[in-house]
Amino acid sequence: MCGIAGVLGPQASTYANDVRAMSRLIRHRGPDSEGFWESPDQSAALGFRRLAIIDKTESANQPMHGFRTPHITIVFNGEIYNHRHLRERLTAEGCQFRTDHSDTEVIIEGYQQWGIDKLLHELNGMFAFALIDRNNKVALLARDRLGLKPLYYTVHNQKIAFASEIKAFQAWSHHSRELNLNAFSDYLSFRSIMAPETMFAKIKKLEPGGLLSVNLANGELQSKRWWDPLTHATPTPRSFEEAAEQFAELQADALRLQLESDTPLGLLLSGGVDSGLLLKTAQDESNGLSTFTAYYPQQEQYNEHIQARALAARFRSKHFEIPIASNDYLNAQFAVSYHQDEPIAAPICTSVFYLCQAARQAGVPVLLSGEGSDEAYFGYENWLLIRRALAVQHRYPMLSRILGNIFNPLFEHYKPYSPFPEFAARAKRNQLLFWSGAIDFSESSKHKLLNPQLFKKQSSESTYDRVIKPMRTEFERHRSATDHSCWMSYTDLRFRLPELMLMRMDKMGMAFSVETRAPLIDHRMIELAMSIPEAWNKKSATKPLIKHTAGKHLERSFVHQRKKGFAAPVREWRDQFSSNLKMLSTFAQRTNL
């Protein structure tokens, strides 16, 4: 797990000092060592910050060059979980390695042996890398399938600057702070911004499963998505029971792979089924796991630390409980905002921030998490009602539109943040009711909130036409329009999961040089889940595949308990925040912040 930065294209080496400064702005991602390299032909300048997790020796430092192929150079952020298996295969095919067990070197040798397309599909892991092939005058920037690792880039005069975080571009000579108005509008709707856009008009982010090819001679770009959960879904198993058995086997293997580390490991533990399953199965594989749980004093309706404590005692983990009071929460906001780079409207970012801080203080630089399970495997109870509404809308589109016209004016002045006005407006416009797992400002609310001049500068397309409609078109190429469960998971796999849920894990973890892993969204498990027919998804109220797997290890009453969810009591703290924020605002004005 690391931080990478660089400039590519003709005479890129003239920006070597920029690259050094960019790398140092993301030092928190890799405090263990740094490295820089300039291409002999001046077409690339690379910077690297290392957090040593796998093969901690100096021989595994980056930028790394091929052993037999010095014309190939890489900077790589992430972990390749199946690197040992790939190394064995490559060695059998005649490849040679200089390192003992570096996963970085496996990428270089795999590229040389198989080419980029096959290599990417062979990798099991989370990654963002830039690979330079000087013989072919090409640079390849790639992001993992689910988007666990971010990668940003910007283009200026045939030069492509890239980095693991947006803040690195503050050191780029041609950095622009121009606001991306479409992205800002989408953020108000979805709480985060879908790739390839960012809040900055001149900065893009590589899509999950994205590959960007850069011609080093002239700076020309070609991009494609090399993986999509629908196009790579497995053949449908013969029965739900067979699918559940396959899923359980994949879950066990994914966890086994992700338990590898040359440093101590921990687990973010709630009182729920996802982290409970991970704790039980992880302790079967490896002793000495630490567990970390956040709680909020005097806010018992949000807390699961008593249940988590019982789980930790049962499975003999070294347990840490992290209390977060309202003042703690507020005091962290400047740091949380800084590390987010662009806003992520997820209140528990701050809770994750404190959990990762506690892990680093405890000497645990790797954390497992149950993140992504709810989005990938239909885990939200309110989705059950929305799924029925989608079925009615599909079967009776005219009735849906009539009801939308009736209820839309009635809901117009309904309480803030209620989903009903937005659902009524969508039905009225004959738009799909479900856009993603996040519903914040409706289109009408945004027009009331924002200066009309802003909307004149935006694209004339609506949020639905710009974001949701193209995704729906892609979905219906591969699945039936009546597969509502799959549609709901697919939108979150494409959007909410990578750019909100996983982004907050990466950014808050890296704030303290802590690597976060998500074993429950191994891509093989996702590909299997995407093959499940709609009828099978109704075998259990929510998360049928996860609950079937957890039922083999944990009591039925625990597996099927009512979901509480990981949230922060920001509404309960609102009045206190309001007065404190006024004080902070005054302080910021006086200190020119």
Side-chain angles (χ1 to χ4, degrees), residues 80-91:
I80 305 303
Y81 302 125
N82 64 337
H83 69 97
R84 293 186 184 274
H85 171 66
L86 295 180
R87 179 179 287 247
E88 290 174 0
R89 285 178 51 192
L90 289 164
T91 300

Side-chain angles (χ1 to χ4, degrees), residues 146-173:
L146 276 300
L148 287 99
K149 295 293 101 190
L151 187 59
Y152 302 92
Y153 65 96
T154 183
V155 180
H156 176 82
N157 192 25
Q158 297 183 304
K159 310 293 189 303
I160 295 87
F162 68 89
S164 294
E165 296 186 7
I166 291 175
K167 65 178 63 64
F169 295 112
Q170 293 179 62
W172 169 237
S173 297

Side-chain angles (χ1 to χ4, degrees), residues 60-105:
N61 285 346
Q62 301 179 41
M64 183 182 287
H65 311 286
F67 185 27
R68 299 174 303 154
T69 54
H71 65 280
I72 298 174
T73 305
I74 191 171
V75 283
F76 156 58
N77 169 33
E79 303 289 354
I80 305 303
Y81 302 125
N82 64 337
H83 69 97
R84 293 186 184 274
H85 171 66
L86 295 180
R87 179 179 287 247
E88 290 174 0
R89 285 178 51 192
L90 289 164
T91 300
E93 294 179 23
C95 295
Q96 296 178 352
F97 293 83
R98 71 158 62 91
T99 64
D100 179 61
H101 60 286
S102 165
D103 53 351
T104 308
E105 192 173 19

